[in-house]
Amino acid sequence: MELTRKTLAKYFDHTFLKAYATEDDLRKLCNEAKEIGAAMVAINPEWIEFCKKELAGTDVHVGGAVSFPLGQTGLKNKLDECHNCIEAGADEIDYVINVGRAKMHDWDWIRNEMEQLTKLCHDNGKIIKVIFENCYLEKDEIRQLALIAKDVKPDFIKTSTGFGTGGAKVEDVKLMVDTVEGEVKVKAAGGIRTWEACKAMIEAGAQRIGTSSSLKILEGFDQQ
Protein backbone atom coordinates (compact mmCIF):
# COMPACT_ATOMS: atom_id res chain seq x y z
CA MET A 1 0.00 0.00 0.00
CA GLU A 2 1.32 3.42 -0.97
CA LEU A 3 1.97 5.63 2.02
CA THR A 4 0.07 8.92 2.07
CA ARG A 5 0.02 11.69 4.65
CA LYS A 6 -3.26 10.29 5.96
CA THR A 7 -2.11 6.68 6.19
CA LEU A 8 1.20 7.74 7.76
CA ALA A 9 -0.63 9.68 10.49
CA LYS A 10 -2.56 6.51 11.34
CA TYR A 11 0.72 4.92 12.43
CA PHE A 12 1.17 7.51 15.17
CA ASP A 13 0.59 7.14 18.87
CA HIS A 14 0.89 10.90 19.46
CA THR A 15 2.66 11.14 22.80
CA PHE A 16 2.94 13.39 25.85
CA LEU A 17 4.10 11.51 28.95
CA LYS A 18 6.06 14.20 30.80
CA ALA A 19 5.75 14.69 34.54
CA TYR A 20 4.92 18.37 34.04
CA ALA A 21 1.93 17.77 31.75
CA THR A 22 -0.88 20.30 32.19
CA GLU A 23 -4.41 20.56 30.81
CA ASP A 24 -3.12 22.96 28.17
CA ASP A 25 -0.47 20.44 27.09
CA LEU A 26 -3.00 17.63 26.82
CA ARG A 27 -5.59 19.78 25.05
CA LYS A 28 -2.93 20.73 22.50
CA LEU A 29 -1.95 17.06 22.10
CA CYS A 30 -5.57 16.06 21.46
CA ASN A 31 -6.15 18.90 19.01
CA GLU A 32 -3.04 17.89 17.07
CA ALA A 33 -4.09 14.24 17.07
CA LYS A 34 -7.53 15.19 15.73
CA GLU A 35 -6.03 17.49 13.10
CA ILE A 36 -3.64 14.89 11.67
CA GLY A 37 -5.83 11.82 12.29
CA ALA A 38 -3.46 9.96 14.62
CA ALA A 39 -4.20 6.45 15.82
CA MET A 40 -3.96 7.32 19.51
CA VAL A 41 -2.80 9.77 22.14
CA ALA A 42 -0.34 8.17 24.57
CA ILE A 43 -0.73 9.68 28.03
CA ASN A 44 -0.38 8.98 31.72
CA PRO A 45 -3.54 7.64 33.46
CA GLU A 46 -4.26 10.96 35.19
CA TRP A 47 -5.40 12.41 31.87
CA ILE A 48 -7.51 9.61 30.39
CA GLU A 49 -10.92 11.06 31.27
CA PHE A 50 -9.84 14.54 30.16
CA CYS A 51 -8.53 13.31 26.79
CA LYS A 52 -11.54 11.05 26.26
CA LYS A 53 -13.75 14.14 26.44
CA GLU A 54 -11.44 16.16 24.21
CA LEU A 55 -11.49 13.41 21.58
CA ALA A 56 -15.21 12.59 21.78
CA GLY A 57 -16.73 12.05 18.35
CA THR A 58 -13.40 11.18 16.71
CA ASP A 59 -11.74 7.85 15.93
CA VAL A 60 -8.56 8.81 17.81
CA HIS A 61 -7.99 6.34 20.64
CA VAL A 62 -6.93 7.21 24.18
CA GLY A 63 -4.05 5.10 25.50
CA GLY A 64 -3.03 4.73 29.13
CA ALA A 65 0.58 4.02 30.13
CA VAL A 66 0.66 1.38 32.91
CA SER A 67 3.56 0.90 35.35
CA PHE A 68 5.34 3.58 33.36
CA PRO A 69 8.25 3.94 32.85
CA LEU A 70 9.97 1.40 35.13
CA GLY A 71 7.64 -1.61 35.13
CA GLN A 72 8.52 -2.37 38.74
CA THR A 73 5.18 -1.88 40.49
CA GLY A 74 4.26 -5.58 40.77
CA LEU A 75 1.56 -7.55 39.01
CA LYS A 76 -1.32 -6.70 41.38
CA ASN A 77 -0.67 -2.99 41.04
CA LYS A 78 -0.35 -3.32 37.26
CA LEU A 79 -3.68 -5.12 37.09
CA ASP A 80 -5.32 -2.50 39.30
CA GLU A 81 -3.85 0.34 37.26
CA CYS A 82 -4.89 -1.31 34.01
CA HIS A 83 -8.43 -1.82 35.33
CA ASN A 84 -8.60 1.81 36.46
CA CYS A 85 -7.44 3.01 33.03
CA ILE A 86 -10.15 0.96 31.36
CA GLU A 87 -12.77 2.28 33.78
CA ALA A 88 -11.64 5.83 32.98
CA GLY A 89 -12.20 5.21 29.27
CA ALA A 90 -8.87 4.03 27.85
CA ASP A 91 -9.10 2.28 24.48
CA GLU A 92 -5.54 0.95 24.62
CA ILE A 93 -2.99 0.06 27.29
CA ASP A 94 0.81 0.23 26.99
CA TYR A 95 2.41 -1.54 29.97
CA VAL A 96 6.07 -1.98 30.87
CA ILE A 97 7.28 -5.50 31.64
CA ASN A 98 9.30 -6.21 34.77
CA VAL A 99 12.69 -5.83 33.09
CA GLY A 100 14.49 -7.21 36.14
CA ARG A 101 12.55 -10.47 35.79
CA ALA A 102 13.56 -10.61 32.14
CA LYS A 103 17.21 -10.10 33.08
CA MET A 104 16.81 -12.96 35.61
CA HIS A 105 15.34 -15.07 32.77
CA ASP A 106 12.29 -15.69 34.92
CA TRP A 107 10.24 -16.36 31.82
CA ASP A 108 7.34 -18.00 33.68
CA TRP A 109 6.87 -14.79 35.67
CA ILE A 110 6.97 -12.68 32.51
CA ARG A 111 4.48 -15.00 30.79
CA ASN A 112 2.06 -14.92 33.72
CA GLU A 113 2.19 -11.12 33.85
CA MET A 114 1.59 -10.89 30.11
CA GLU A 115 -1.23 -13.44 30.18
CA GLN A 116 -3.10 -11.74 33.00
CA LEU A 117 -2.82 -8.21 31.62
CA THR A 118 -3.66 -9.35 28.09
CA LYS A 119 -6.72 -11.23 29.35
CA LEU A 120 -7.92 -8.19 31.31
CA CYS A 121 -7.64 -5.95 28.26
CA HIS A 122 -9.10 -8.41 25.77
CA ASP A 123 -11.99 -9.30 28.09
CA ASN A 124 -12.85 -5.60 28.02
CA GLY A 125 -12.34 -5.20 24.27
CA LYS A 126 -9.18 -3.12 24.67
CA ILE A 127 -5.88 -3.17 22.77
CA ILE A 128 -2.76 -4.02 24.79
CA LYS A 129 0.88 -3.27 23.99
CA VAL A 130 3.80 -4.84 25.88
CA ILE A 131 6.84 -2.59 26.32
CA PHE A 132 10.13 -4.52 26.45
CA GLU A 133 12.59 -1.61 27.05
CA ASN A 134 15.15 -3.12 24.71
CA CYS A 135 18.01 -0.84 25.77
CA TYR A 136 18.47 -3.02 28.86
CA LEU A 137 18.16 -6.37 27.06
CA GLU A 138 20.42 -8.71 25.11
CA LYS A 139 19.23 -9.85 21.68
CA ASP A 140 18.43 -13.33 22.97
CA GLU A 141 16.31 -11.79 25.74
CA ILE A 142 14.39 -9.70 23.22
CA ARG A 143 13.82 -12.82 21.16
CA GLN A 144 12.60 -14.81 24.17
CA LEU A 145 10.16 -12.06 25.15
CA ALA A 146 8.87 -11.96 21.59
CA LEU A 147 8.40 -15.73 21.58
CA ILE A 148 6.33 -15.50 24.76
CA ALA A 149 4.24 -12.75 23.16
CA LYS A 150 3.82 -14.85 20.02
CA ASP A 151 2.15 -17.47 22.20
CA VAL A 152 0.20 -15.15 24.55
CA LYS A 153 -0.90 -12.83 21.72
CA PRO A 154 -1.12 -9.30 23.08
CA ASP A 155 -1.93 -6.92 20.23
CA PHE A 156 1.52 -5.31 20.06
CA ILE A 157 5.02 -5.65 21.43
CA LYS A 158 6.90 -2.38 21.76
CA THR A 159 10.57 -1.45 21.75
CA SER A 160 10.89 1.23 24.39
CA THR A 161 9.34 3.71 26.81
CA GLY A 162 11.47 6.61 25.59
CA PHE A 163 12.64 7.08 29.19
CA GLY A 164 15.41 4.45 29.22
CA THR A 165 19.02 4.73 28.12
CA GLY A 166 18.09 4.17 24.47
CA GLY A 167 15.13 4.10 22.13
CA ALA A 168 13.96 2.18 19.09
CA LYS A 169 16.53 0.52 16.83
CA VAL A 170 15.81 -0.80 13.36
CA GLU A 171 17.65 -4.05 14.11
CA ASP A 172 15.46 -4.65 17.18
CA VAL A 173 12.26 -3.97 15.26
CA LYS A 174 13.35 -6.47 12.61
CA LEU A 175 14.19 -9.04 15.29
CA MET A 176 10.81 -8.61 16.96
CA VAL A 177 8.91 -8.74 13.67
CA ASP A 178 10.77 -11.83 12.49
CA THR A 179 10.27 -13.63 15.80
CA VAL A 180 6.51 -13.13 16.14
CA GLU A 181 5.94 -14.15 12.49
CA GLY A 182 2.84 -12.01 12.06
CA GLU A 183 1.09 -13.27 15.21
CA VAL A 184 1.61 -9.95 17.04
CA LYS A 185 2.18 -6.43 15.74
CA VAL A 186 5.24 -4.37 16.61
CA LYS A 187 5.34 -0.77 17.82
CA ALA A 188 8.53 1.27 17.56
CA ALA A 189 8.95 4.07 20.09
CA GLY A 190 11.72 6.12 21.63
CA GLY A 191 13.78 8.72 19.81
CA ILE A 192 11.82 8.67 16.54
CA ARG A 193 11.82 12.35 15.60
CA THR A 194 12.32 12.55 11.82
CA TRP A 195 10.61 11.20 8.72
CA GLU A 196 13.78 9.29 7.84
CA ALA A 197 13.84 7.52 11.21
CA CYS A 198 10.11 6.82 11.03
CA LYS A 199 10.39 5.46 7.49
CA ALA A 200 13.17 3.09 8.55
CA MET A 201 11.01 1.69 11.36
CA ILE A 202 8.04 1.17 9.04
CA GLU A 203 10.23 -0.51 6.45
CA ALA A 204 11.53 -2.81 9.22
CA GLY A 205 7.95 -3.88 9.91
CA ALA A 206 6.66 -1.57 12.65
CA GLN A 207 2.89 -1.06 12.47
CA ARG A 208 2.69 1.70 15.09
CA ILE A 209 5.07 4.54 15.83
CA GLY A 210 5.16 6.12 19.27
CA THR A 211 6.42 9.70 19.01
CA SER A 212 6.02 13.21 20.34
CA SER A 213 7.29 14.48 16.97
CA SER A 214 4.32 13.48 14.79
CA LEU A 215 3.95 16.93 13.24
CA LYS A 216 7.66 17.20 12.46
CA ILE A 217 7.65 13.74 10.87
CA LEU A 218 4.68 14.68 8.69
CA GLU A 219 6.46 17.87 7.62
CA GLY A 220 9.45 15.76 6.57
CA PHE A 221 7.16 13.42 4.65
CA ASP A 222 5.56 16.39 2.84
CA GLN A 223 8.97 17.77 1.86
CA GLN A 224 10.40 14.60 0.36
Side-chain angles (χ1 to χ4, degrees), residues 113-128:
E113 177 183 77
M114 198 183 299
E115 285 176 342
Q116 291 204 45
L117 285 161
T118 297
K119 184 178 188 302
L120 176 58
C121 287
H122 286 175
D123 283 353
N124 286 277
K126 308 303 180 183
I127 290 169
I128 183 166

Side-chain angles (χ1 to χ4, degrees), residues 8-210:
L8 175 58
K10 275 299 173 194
Y11 276 86
F12 295 149
D13 285 356
H14 194 41
T15 303
F16 199 102
L17 290 161
K18 301 299 186 184
Y20 51 79
T22 66
E23 280 192 2
D24 286 344
D25 293 321
L26 274 298
R27 186 176 291 110
K28 180 173 182 286
L29 183 80
C30 290
N31 286 337
E32 290 171 348
K34 286 189 283 189
E35 180 183 344
I36 66 174
M40 190 189 86
V41 292
I43 56 173
N44 283 306
E46 166 73 11
W47 299 106
I48 290 172
E49 290 187 22
F50 177 84
C51 290
K52 196 71 176 178
K53 291 176 182 176
E54 291 291 311
L55 292 166
T58 77
D59 64 352
V60 180
H61 281 185
V62 174
V66 166
S67 196
F68 197 89
L70 302 179
Q72 294 281 337
T73 52
L75 178 54
K76 183 182 184 301
N77 286 331
K78 286 183 183 181
L79 287 166
D80 288 344
E81 189 175 1
C82 186
H83 176 78
N84 291 340
C85 287
I86 292 169
E87 286 288 298
D91 304 292
E92 307 190 15
I93 298 294
D94 291 39
Y95 87 88
V96 187
I97 68 160
N98 187 319
V99 182
R101 293 285 182 177
K103 296 304 295 181
M104 293 161 61
H105 297 178
D106 192 349
W107 304 122
D108 288 342
W109 200 100
I110 293 288
R111 176 184 290 271
N112 180 55
E113 177 183 77
M114 198 183 299
E115 285 176 342
Q116 291 204 45
L117 285 161
T118 297
K119 184 178 188 302
L120 176 58
C121 287
H122 286 175
D123 283 353
N124 286 277
K126 308 303 180 183
I127 290 169
I128 183 166
K129 310 188 196 86
V130 182
I131 307 173
F132 289 3
E133 200 70 296
N134 288 341
C135 58
Y136 302 126
L137 301 170
E138 302 297 328
K139 301 305 181 191
D140 285 346
E141 292 166 341
I142 296 171
R143 184 180 294 105
Q144 184 59 43
L145 287 168
L147 285 171
I148 293 170
K150 181 183 177 183
D151 189 36
V152 174
K153 291 183 175 54
D155 299 280
F156 287 84
I157 53 176
K158 176 178 168 183
T159 60
S160 321
T161 63
F163 285 75
T165 56
K169 294 182 179 179
V170 169
E171 64 194 72
D172 289 347
V173 171
K174 287 180 178 176
L175 173 60
M176 294 161 77
V177 169
D178 289 346
T179 303
V180 296
E181 296 182 312
E183 295 293 323
V184 180
K185 297 175 184 177
V186 174
K187 174 178 171 179
I192 304 171
R193 301 186 181 94
T194 66
W195 159 236
E196 291 75 18
C198 178
K199 181 182 179 183
M201 298 300 169
I202 293 171
E203 289 176 346
Q207 291 176 275
R208 283 280 188 97
I209 302 293

